[in-house]
């Protein structure tokens, strides 16, 4: 059993090494995903979480990669849920005005019992939406005064 685990780990490491030589974001994302999925195929969810942290690098601002890590962390175990919440936070930082992402993150935090984090996300989203509405009103008013 231990030998099989080492083979999955070695195979995933090859994907992560190959990622360093990959040209372009799609190829780096694909190799990262394959490295994580290889560990998951070997039922090494803890190792997959650790590899995600270790090899994330420039993919920390890539939405599909963050979603992969969220799914990986949720599937891992109770300890992985805290990590999933962290990746949700990174995802919200990428797209703070995308209500669906903020709502998804708030619902996840509520589902794991972190109601404070869920409420903070909800109120931060409402504050950002109000700021955006104020900016839109300002620019609409400003542009209409120039047209006359």
């Amino acid at each position: 059993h231990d030998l099989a685990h080492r083979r999955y780990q070695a195979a995933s490491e090859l994907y992560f090494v190959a990622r360093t030589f990959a040209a372009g974001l799609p190829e780096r994302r694909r190799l990262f995903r394959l490295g994580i999925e290889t560990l998951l195929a070997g039922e090494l969810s803890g190792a997959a979480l650790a590899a995600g942290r270790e090899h994330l690098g420039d993919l920390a601002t890539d939405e599909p990669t963050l979603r992969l890590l969220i799914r990986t962390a949720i599937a891992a175990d109770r300890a992985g849920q805290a990590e999933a919440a962290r990746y949700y936070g990174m995802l919200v930082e990428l797209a703070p005005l995308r209500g669906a992402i903020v709502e998804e993150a708030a619902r996840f935090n509520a589902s794991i019992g972190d109601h404070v984090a869920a409420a903070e996300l909800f109120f931060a989203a409402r504050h950002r939406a109000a700021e955006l509405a104020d900016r839109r009103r300002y620019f609409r008013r400003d542009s209409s005064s120039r047209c006359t």
Side-chain angles (χ1 to χ4, degrees):
H1 196 74
D2 189 43
L3 178 61
H5 283 173
R6 282 185 283 178
R7 286 185 177 163
Y8 282 105
Q9 288 174 322
S12 73
E13 195 58 38
L14 291 175
Y15 285 119
F16 294 128
V17 169
R19 184 179 157 256
T20 62
F21 298 103
L25 176 63
E27 184 65 6
R28 289 193 310 274
R29 180 190 299 136
R30 185 182 76 80
L31 291 166
F32 181 86
R33 180 181 49 77
L34 288 170
I36 297 296
E37 288 174 351
T38 299
L39 291 167
L40 292 175
E43 299 178 6
L44 298 167
S45 58
L49 288 175
R53 282 190 304 271
E54 181 182 345
H55 298 287
L56 185 59
D58 65 332
L59 295 174
T61 57
D62 182 57
E63 183 175 337
T65 300
L66 291 176
R67 289 193 175 280
L68 168 70
L69 292 173
I70 289 168
R71 288 190 307 275
T72 302
I74 290 170
D77 56 17
R78 186 80 181 146
Q81 291 179 346
E83 196 148 347
R86 188 177 123 243
Y87 290 126
Y88 264 121
M90 293 169 71
L91 192 58
V92 167
E93 288 299 315
L94 288 178
L97 296 176
R98 284 182 47 198
I101 289 176
V102 175
E103 183 178 338
E104 182 182 335
R107 286 182 193 279
F108 174 77
N109 279 295
S111 76
I112 63 170
D114 193 347
H115 299 288
V116 172
E120 286 173 347
L121 282 167
F122 173 74
F123 287 115
R126 287 191 63 190
H127 178 71
R128 289 180 185 126
E131 283 180 346
L132 183 60
D134 287 345
R135 286 187 197 130
R136 286 182 179 152
R137 276 194 297 276
Y138 173 79
F139 286 111
R140 242 184 267 129
R141 184 179 44 232
D142 189 43
S143 64
S144 65
S145 66
R146 280 187 262 149
C147 293
T148 57

